[in-house]
Amino acid sequence: MSNQALNAALGIVKGLSTVALSDSNKGPLLIVENEMAHCQISLFGGHVLSFTPKHDMRERLWLSERAIFDGKTPIRGGIPICWPWFSAHHSQLQAPSHGYARNQYWQLTSANEQSQKTSLRLTPTTTDGFGYENLAVSLEITISNTLELNLVTTNKGDNPTPVTQALHTYLAVSDIDNIELEGVDASYMNKLDASKQNPCPNPYLFTQETDRIHVYNNADDTLRIEINDSCVNNTTKIEQQGHDSIVVWNPWKDKSATMKDMEANGYRTMVCVEAANTVESDHKLVIAAGATHVLTQRIS
Ligand code: BG6
């Protein structure tokens, strides 16, 4: 990461009491500590790694013990930003999976703090590439009792531009056998066999590899999801807006064994619930010239 970007971040955090910049073995991190929560954000990928509200001191996010912090590889765990496409690019098959935002350093551009709430804004170093030159993106992160992420995309060009994207959130659970997902009720496309319109499981339990795109065609709706963890008797709440899809992913045992940054039993203590816009929806996100789209996820 360039000294210029580090110095810019240092210049912003210097005047703050709730944010510090740390150069750790995980690379450059923003460490947020306010009255309500503790949070760590990697400047690589603009990637939230950890969020712990102080009222219960429970880590909400899962981070792989084998995550690679080499400043090149996307980080396994936390909240990767998939942008400006989700999954494989529709025509550039060599292009990186989930876009290029998570494979580069981001810059802290502004910060605001009160004793109980810290808000940060980050932008990637570049948004140029593959026909997305006219898009600008920023990530607004607000840390309080709730972690709120707003992924803000603006079309600065003269033509409407289709975008797919995801806040690819890895949530920590006691054990995958103990959890039930509530609030996801739309039918899904199964990425494992490409079948469409599969009915949503009810109850939503996890017993095998899961890679599903649940399609919500009304993007204006606020969706409230809960992960109920029966073993430790707690609930992680997720609220989201600006999505047309919810991706639910767990690689399970065999797929995990093929992933160099996933520990053998890591799949047991995580589940991804992703606020997304995908090609599966009828709605398909197209950002009009001059318009801005906001994808929001709140975790508590
Ligand atoms: C999910 C996709 O969002 O991300 C899965 O639906 C994919 O198909 C998973 O395997 C992880 O992707 P990656 O690129 O971080 O290994």
mmCIF file of all heavy atoms in Angstrom, residues 74-76 80 82 86-87 97-98 102 166 168 170 191 209-213 247-249 251 255 259 261 272 274, ligand 1:
data_model
loop_
_atom_site.group_PDB
_atom_site.id
_atom_site.type_symbol
_atom_site.label_atom_id
_atom_site.label_comp_id
_atom_site.label_asym_id
_atom_site.label_seq_id
_atom_site.Cartn_x
_atom_site.Cartn_y
_atom_site.Cartn_z
ATOM 1 N N PRO A 74 -7.964 -12.037 -1.796
ATOM 2 C CA PRO A 74 -9.133 -11.588 -1.027
ATOM 3 C C PRO A 74 -9.164 -12.288 0.336
ATOM 4 O O PRO A 74 -8.817 -13.461 0.438
ATOM 5 C CB PRO A 74 -10.315 -12.025 -1.890
ATOM 6 C CG PRO A 74 -9.768 -12.235 -3.253
ATOM 7 C CD PRO A 74 -8.325 -12.608 -3.096
ATOM 8 N N ILE A 75 -9.572 -11.568 1.341
ATOM 9 C CA ILE A 75 -9.543 -12.093 2.719
ATOM 10 C C ILE A 75 -10.753 -13.005 2.939
ATOM 11 O O ILE A 75 -11.881 -12.622 2.638
ATOM 12 C CB ILE A 75 -9.555 -10.918 3.726
ATOM 13 C CG1 ILE A 75 -8.320 -10.024 3.497
ATOM 14 C CG2 ILE A 75 -9.611 -11.429 5.163
ATOM 15 C CD1 ILE A 75 -8.384 -8.682 4.212
ATOM 16 N N ARG A 76 -10.484 -14.204 3.485
ATOM 17 C CA ARG A 76 -11.564 -15.174 3.740
ATOM 18 C C ARG A 76 -12.201 -14.898 5.099
ATOM 19 O O ARG A 76 -11.629 -15.196 6.139
ATOM 20 C CB ARG A 76 -10.977 -16.599 3.710
ATOM 21 C CG ARG A 76 -11.973 -17.693 3.990
ATOM 22 C CD ARG A 76 -12.922 -17.946 2.867
ATOM 23 N NE ARG A 76 -12.216 -18.314 1.633
ATOM 24 C CZ ARG A 76 -12.757 -18.186 0.413
ATOM 25 N NH1 ARG A 76 -13.984 -17.713 0.260
ATOM 26 N NH2 ARG A 76 -12.059 -18.532 -0.657
ATOM 27 N N PRO A 80 -16.283 -9.234 2.765
ATOM 28 C CA PRO A 80 -15.731 -8.861 1.462
ATOM 29 C C PRO A 80 -16.736 -8.013 0.678
ATOM 30 O O PRO A 80 -17.943 -8.246 0.751
ATOM 31 C CB PRO A 80 -15.519 -10.215 0.767
ATOM 32 C CG PRO A 80 -15.552 -11.240 1.857
ATOM 33 C CD PRO A 80 -16.430 -10.682 2.933
ATOM 34 N N CYS A 82 -18.045 -7.338 -2.860
ATOM 35 C CA CYS A 82 -18.061 -7.861 -4.233
ATOM 36 C C CYS A 82 -18.617 -6.755 -5.118
ATOM 37 O O CYS A 82 -19.791 -6.378 -4.976
ATOM 38 C CB CYS A 82 -18.938 -9.094 -4.329
ATOM 39 S SG CYS A 82 -18.486 -10.374 -3.150
ATOM 40 N N PHE A 86 -20.885 -9.631 -9.104
ATOM 41 C CA PHE A 86 -20.959 -10.728 -8.149
ATOM 42 C C PHE A 86 -20.685 -12.016 -8.910
ATOM 43 O O PHE A 86 -21.155 -12.186 -10.028
ATOM 44 C CB PHE A 86 -22.377 -10.764 -7.537
ATOM 45 C CG PHE A 86 -22.629 -12.014 -6.748
ATOM 46 C CD1 PHE A 86 -22.143 -12.145 -5.456
ATOM 47 C CD2 PHE A 86 -23.336 -13.072 -7.306
ATOM 48 C CE1 PHE A 86 -22.349 -13.305 -4.740
ATOM 49 C CE2 PHE A 86 -23.549 -14.238 -6.591
ATOM 50 C CZ PHE A 86 -23.050 -14.352 -5.310
ATOM 51 N N SER A 87 -19.903 -12.925 -8.285
ATOM 52 C CA SER A 87 -19.604 -14.228 -8.895
ATOM 53 C C SER A 87 -18.700 -14.044 -10.111
ATOM 54 O O SER A 87 -17.896 -13.111 -10.141
ATOM 55 C CB SER A 87 -20.930 -14.924 -9.240
ATOM 56 O OG SER A 87 -20.779 -16.297 -9.233
ATOM 57 N N SER A 97 -13.193 -13.477 -9.710
ATOM 58 C CA SER A 97 -14.518 -13.741 -9.151
ATOM 59 C C SER A 97 -14.880 -12.618 -8.174
ATOM 60 O O SER A 97 -14.034 -12.153 -7.405
ATOM 61 C CB SER A 97 -14.461 -15.082 -8.414
ATOM 62 O OG SER A 97 -15.562 -15.222 -7.566
ATOM 63 N N HIS A 98 -16.119 -12.181 -8.214
ATOM 64 C CA HIS A 98 -16.646 -11.157 -7.293
ATOM 65 C C HIS A 98 -16.048 -9.760 -7.506
ATOM 66 O O HIS A 98 -16.040 -8.932 -6.585
ATOM 67 C CB HIS A 98 -16.442 -11.561 -5.835
ATOM 68 C CG HIS A 98 -17.265 -12.748 -5.376
ATOM 69 N ND1 HIS A 98 -18.521 -13.019 -5.856
ATOM 70 C CD2 HIS A 98 -16.994 -13.725 -4.470
ATOM 71 C CE1 HIS A 98 -18.991 -14.107 -5.263
ATOM 72 N NE2 HIS A 98 -18.084 -14.560 -4.427
ATOM 73 N N ARG A 102 -12.413 -6.083 -3.940
ATOM 74 C CA ARG A 102 -11.864 -6.755 -2.753
ATOM 75 C C ARG A 102 -10.394 -7.120 -2.917
ATOM 76 O O ARG A 102 -9.791 -7.661 -1.997
ATOM 77 C CB ARG A 102 -12.697 -8.006 -2.404
ATOM 78 C CG ARG A 102 -12.649 -9.094 -3.442
ATOM 79 C CD ARG A 102 -13.407 -10.346 -2.993
ATOM 80 N NE ARG A 102 -13.251 -11.425 -3.965
ATOM 81 C CZ ARG A 102 -13.503 -12.691 -3.725
ATOM 82 N NH1 ARG A 102 -13.940 -13.071 -2.551
ATOM 83 N NH2 ARG A 102 -13.346 -13.608 -4.667
ATOM 84 N N ALA A 166 -22.274 -7.537 -4.000
ATOM 85 C CA ALA A 166 -22.708 -8.162 -2.739
ATOM 86 C C ALA A 166 -21.882 -7.650 -1.573
ATOM 87 O O ALA A 166 -20.696 -7.361 -1.712
ATOM 88 C CB ALA A 166 -22.577 -9.680 -2.808
ATOM 89 N N HIS A 168 -20.663 -9.532 1.197
ATOM 90 C CA HIS A 168 -20.524 -10.998 1.298
ATOM 91 C C HIS A 168 -20.223 -11.391 2.750
ATOM 92 O O HIS A 168 -19.131 -11.871 3.074
ATOM 93 C CB HIS A 168 -19.373 -11.411 0.368
ATOM 94 C CG HIS A 168 -19.210 -12.862 0.113
ATOM 95 N ND1 HIS A 168 -19.140 -13.808 1.106
ATOM 96 C CD2 HIS A 168 -19.073 -13.533 -1.051
ATOM 97 C CE1 HIS A 168 -18.957 -15.002 0.564
ATOM 98 N NE2 HIS A 168 -18.919 -14.866 -0.742
ATOM 99 N N TYR A 170 -19.685 -12.874 6.303
ATOM 100 C CA TYR A 170 -19.464 -14.151 6.990
ATOM 101 C C TYR A 170 -19.852 -13.956 8.456
ATOM 102 O O TYR A 170 -19.213 -13.165 9.168
ATOM 103 C CB TYR A 170 -17.987 -14.560 6.953
ATOM 104 C CG TYR A 170 -17.447 -15.007 5.621
ATOM 105 C CD1 TYR A 170 -17.206 -14.100 4.585
ATOM 106 C CD2 TYR A 170 -17.115 -16.344 5.406
ATOM 107 C CE1 TYR A 170 -16.672 -14.523 3.371
ATOM 108 C CE2 TYR A 170 -16.573 -16.773 4.188
ATOM 109 C CZ TYR A 170 -16.360 -15.854 3.176
ATOM 110 O OH TYR A 170 -15.822 -16.268 1.979
ATOM 111 N N LYS A 191 -26.908 -22.660 -6.938
ATOM 112 C CA LYS A 191 -25.688 -22.538 -7.748
ATOM 113 C C LYS A 191 -24.978 -23.888 -7.900
ATOM 114 O O LYS A 191 -24.127 -24.038 -8.764
ATOM 115 C CB LYS A 191 -24.736 -21.511 -7.123
ATOM 116 C CG LYS A 191 -25.180 -20.072 -7.363
ATOM 117 C CD LYS A 191 -24.143 -19.061 -6.912
ATOM 118 C CE LYS A 191 -23.002 -18.917 -7.899
ATOM 119 N NZ LYS A 191 -21.977 -17.952 -7.418
ATOM 120 N N GLU A 209 -23.479 -28.779 1.751
ATOM 121 C CA GLU A 209 -22.995 -27.600 1.027
ATOM 122 C C GLU A 209 -24.196 -26.797 0.539
ATOM 123 O O GLU A 209 -25.165 -27.365 0.008
ATOM 124 C CB GLU A 209 -22.120 -28.024 -0.167
ATOM 125 C CG GLU A 209 -21.539 -26.826 -0.889
ATOM 126 C CD GLU A 209 -20.650 -27.198 -2.076
ATOM 127 O OE1 GLU A 209 -20.404 -28.402 -2.319
ATOM 128 O OE2 GLU A 209 -20.211 -26.268 -2.772
ATOM 129 N N THR A 210 -24.103 -25.494 0.723
ATOM 130 C CA THR A 210 -25.236 -24.619 0.409
ATOM 131 C C THR A 210 -24.701 -23.423 -0.375
ATOM 132 O O THR A 210 -23.759 -22.753 0.068
ATOM 133 C CB THR A 210 -25.869 -24.114 1.731
ATOM 134 O OG1 THR A 210 -26.260 -25.259 2.500
ATOM 135 C CG2 THR A 210 -27.064 -23.223 1.491
ATOM 136 N N ASP A 211 -25.269 -23.188 -1.558
ATOM 137 C CA ASP A 211 -24.854 -22.039 -2.368
ATOM 138 C C ASP A 211 -26.086 -21.572 -3.142
ATOM 139 O O ASP A 211 -26.370 -22.059 -4.232
ATOM 140 C CB ASP A 211 -23.699 -22.443 -3.302
ATOM 141 C CG ASP A 211 -22.999 -21.226 -3.898
ATOM 142 O OD1 ASP A 211 -23.471 -20.098 -3.658
ATOM 143 O OD2 ASP A 211 -21.984 -21.413 -4.604
ATOM 144 N N ARG A 212 -26.840 -20.673 -2.510
ATOM 145 C CA ARG A 212 -28.173 -20.336 -3.015
ATOM 146 C C ARG A 212 -28.325 -18.840 -3.222
ATOM 147 O O ARG A 212 -27.871 -18.040 -2.404
ATOM 148 C CB ARG A 212 -29.232 -20.774 -1.997
ATOM 149 C CG ARG A 212 -29.204 -22.264 -1.763
ATOM 150 C CD ARG A 212 -30.150 -22.651 -0.645
ATOM 151 N NE ARG A 212 -30.111 -24.102 -0.475
ATOM 152 C CZ ARG A 212 -30.469 -24.748 0.641
ATOM 153 N NH1 ARG A 212 -30.918 -24.069 1.674
ATOM 154 N NH2 ARG A 212 -30.398 -26.054 0.703
ATOM 155 N N ILE A 213 -29.000 -18.508 -4.315
ATOM 156 C CA ILE A 213 -29.380 -17.105 -4.535
ATOM 157 C C ILE A 213 -30.898 -17.014 -4.402
ATOM 158 O O ILE A 213 -31.639 -17.482 -5.277
ATOM 159 C CB ILE A 213 -28.929 -16.612 -5.924
ATOM 160 C CG1 ILE A 213 -27.412 -16.758 -6.081
ATOM 161 C CG2 ILE A 213 -29.359 -15.163 -6.122
ATOM 162 C CD1 ILE A 213 -26.869 -16.296 -7.425
ATOM 163 N N VAL A 247 -27.852 -14.056 -0.871
ATOM 164 C CA VAL A 247 -27.044 -15.248 -1.138
ATOM 165 C C VAL A 247 -26.749 -15.922 0.202
ATOM 166 O O VAL A 247 -26.362 -15.258 1.164
ATOM 167 C CB VAL A 247 -25.731 -14.875 -1.851
ATOM 168 C CG1 VAL A 247 -24.929 -16.135 -2.170
ATOM 169 C CG2 VAL A 247 -26.030 -14.087 -3.122
ATOM 170 N N VAL A 248 -26.994 -17.219 0.258
ATOM 171 C CA VAL A 248 -26.711 -17.989 1.470
ATOM 172 C C VAL A 248 -25.685 -19.041 1.092
ATOM 173 O O VAL A 248 -25.910 -19.833 0.159
ATOM 174 C CB VAL A 248 -28.004 -18.636 2.023
ATOM 175 C CG1 VAL A 248 -27.696 -19.453 3.277
ATOM 176 C CG2 VAL A 248 -29.051 -17.565 2.326
ATOM 177 N N TRP A 249 -24.545 -19.017 1.776
ATOM 178 C CA TRP A 249 -23.427 -19.877 1.361
ATOM 179 C C TRP A 249 -22.752 -20.541 2.550
ATOM 180 O O TRP A 249 -22.460 -19.885 3.551
ATOM 181 C CB TRP A 249 -22.382 -19.043 0.603
ATOM 182 C CG TRP A 249 -21.216 -19.845 0.081
ATOM 183 C CD1 TRP A 249 -21.274 -20.856 -0.839
ATOM 184 C CD2 TRP A 249 -19.841 -19.718 0.442
ATOM 185 N NE1 TRP A 249 -20.002 -21.357 -1.072
ATOM 186 C CE2 TRP A 249 -19.106 -20.666 -0.291
ATOM 187 C CE3 TRP A 249 -19.147 -18.884 1.315
ATOM 188 C CZ2 TRP A 249 -17.726 -20.816 -0.190
ATOM 189 C CZ3 TRP A 249 -17.762 -19.017 1.431
ATOM 190 C CH2 TRP A 249 -17.063 -19.974 0.670
ATOM 191 N N PRO A 251 -19.622 -23.669 2.470
ATOM 192 C CA PRO A 251 -18.940 -24.592 1.558
ATOM 193 C C PRO A 251 -18.958 -26.052 2.014
ATOM 194 O O PRO A 251 -18.686 -26.941 1.225
ATOM 195 C CB PRO A 251 -17.495 -24.071 1.556
ATOM 196 C CG PRO A 251 -17.330 -23.335 2.849
ATOM 197 C CD PRO A 251 -18.694 -22.784 3.189
ATOM 198 N N LYS A 255 -15.781 -29.114 0.008
ATOM 199 C CA LYS A 255 -15.329 -27.909 -0.696
ATOM 200 C C LYS A 255 -14.282 -27.175 0.152
ATOM 201 O O LYS A 255 -13.277 -26.675 -0.385
ATOM 202 C CB LYS A 255 -16.531 -27.001 -1.006
ATOM 203 C CG LYS A 255 -16.143 -25.641 -1.534
ATOM 204 C CD LYS A 255 -16.730 -25.325 -2.876
ATOM 205 C CE LYS A 255 -16.002 -24.176 -3.522
ATOM 206 N NZ LYS A 255 -16.845 -23.086 -3.918
ATOM 207 N N MET A 259 -10.012 -25.524 -0.371
ATOM 208 C CA MET A 259 -9.746 -24.076 -0.271
ATOM 209 C C MET A 259 -8.543 -23.852 0.645
ATOM 210 O O MET A 259 -8.570 -24.256 1.813
ATOM 211 C CB MET A 259 -10.995 -23.357 0.290
ATOM 212 C CG MET A 259 -12.188 -23.466 -0.637
ATOM 213 S SD MET A 259 -13.764 -23.101 0.180
ATOM 214 C CE MET A 259 -13.559 -21.388 0.575
ATOM 215 N N ASP A 261 -7.430 -21.282 2.075
ATOM 216 C CA ASP A 261 -7.554 -20.331 3.175
ATOM 217 C C ASP A 261 -8.714 -20.666 4.115
ATOM 218 O O ASP A 261 -9.237 -19.800 4.806
ATOM 219 C CB ASP A 261 -7.704 -18.900 2.630
ATOM 220 C CG ASP A 261 -8.833 -18.779 1.627
ATOM 221 O OD1 ASP A 261 -9.535 -19.784 1.360
ATOM 222 O OD2 ASP A 261 -9.025 -17.665 1.098
ATOM 223 N N CYS A 272 -22.545 -17.591 5.458
ATOM 224 C CA CYS A 272 -22.609 -16.303 4.757
ATOM 225 C C CYS A 272 -24.055 -15.973 4.440
ATOM 226 O O CYS A 272 -24.782 -16.815 3.876
ATOM 227 C CB CYS A 272 -21.821 -16.349 3.446
ATOM 228 S SG CYS A 272 -20.047 -16.321 3.689
ATOM 229 N N GLU A 274 -25.621 -12.874 2.429
ATOM 230 C CA GLU A 274 -25.093 -11.766 1.632
ATOM 231 C C GLU A 274 -26.223 -10.909 1.052
ATOM 232 O O GLU A 274 -27.125 -11.450 0.403
ATOM 233 C CB GLU A 274 -24.249 -12.326 0.478
ATOM 234 C CG GLU A 274 -23.197 -13.319 0.947
ATOM 235 C CD GLU A 274 -22.559 -14.091 -0.207
ATOM 236 O OE1 GLU A 274 -22.399 -13.513 -1.296
ATOM 237 O OE2 GLU A 274 -22.239 -15.270 -0.013
HETATM 238 C C1 BG6 B 1 -20.530 -17.012 -2.712
HETATM 239 C C2 BG6 B 1 -20.807 -17.694 -4.029
HETATM 240 O O1 BG6 B 1 -21.114 -15.763 -2.716
HETATM 241 O O2 BG6 B 1 -19.118 -16.858 -2.565
HETATM 242 C C3 BG6 B 1 -20.094 -19.036 -4.064
HETATM 243 O O3 BG6 B 1 -22.200 -17.873 -4.192
HETATM 244 C C4 BG6 B 1 -18.605 -18.836 -3.828
HETATM 245 O O4 BG6 B 1 -20.322 -19.665 -5.328
HETATM 246 C C5 BG6 B 1 -18.418 -18.087 -2.516
HETATM 247 O O5 BG6 B 1 -17.974 -20.104 -3.787
HETATM 248 C C6 BG6 B 1 -16.965 -17.793 -2.169
HETATM 249 O O6 BG6 B 1 -16.347 -17.139 -3.215
HETATM 250 P P1 BG6 B 1 -14.798 -16.805 -3.178
HETATM 251 O O7 BG6 B 1 -14.460 -16.232 -4.518
HETATM 252 O O8 BG6 B 1 -14.588 -15.826 -2.061
HETATM 253 O O9 BG6 B 1 -14.099 -18.122 -2.875
#
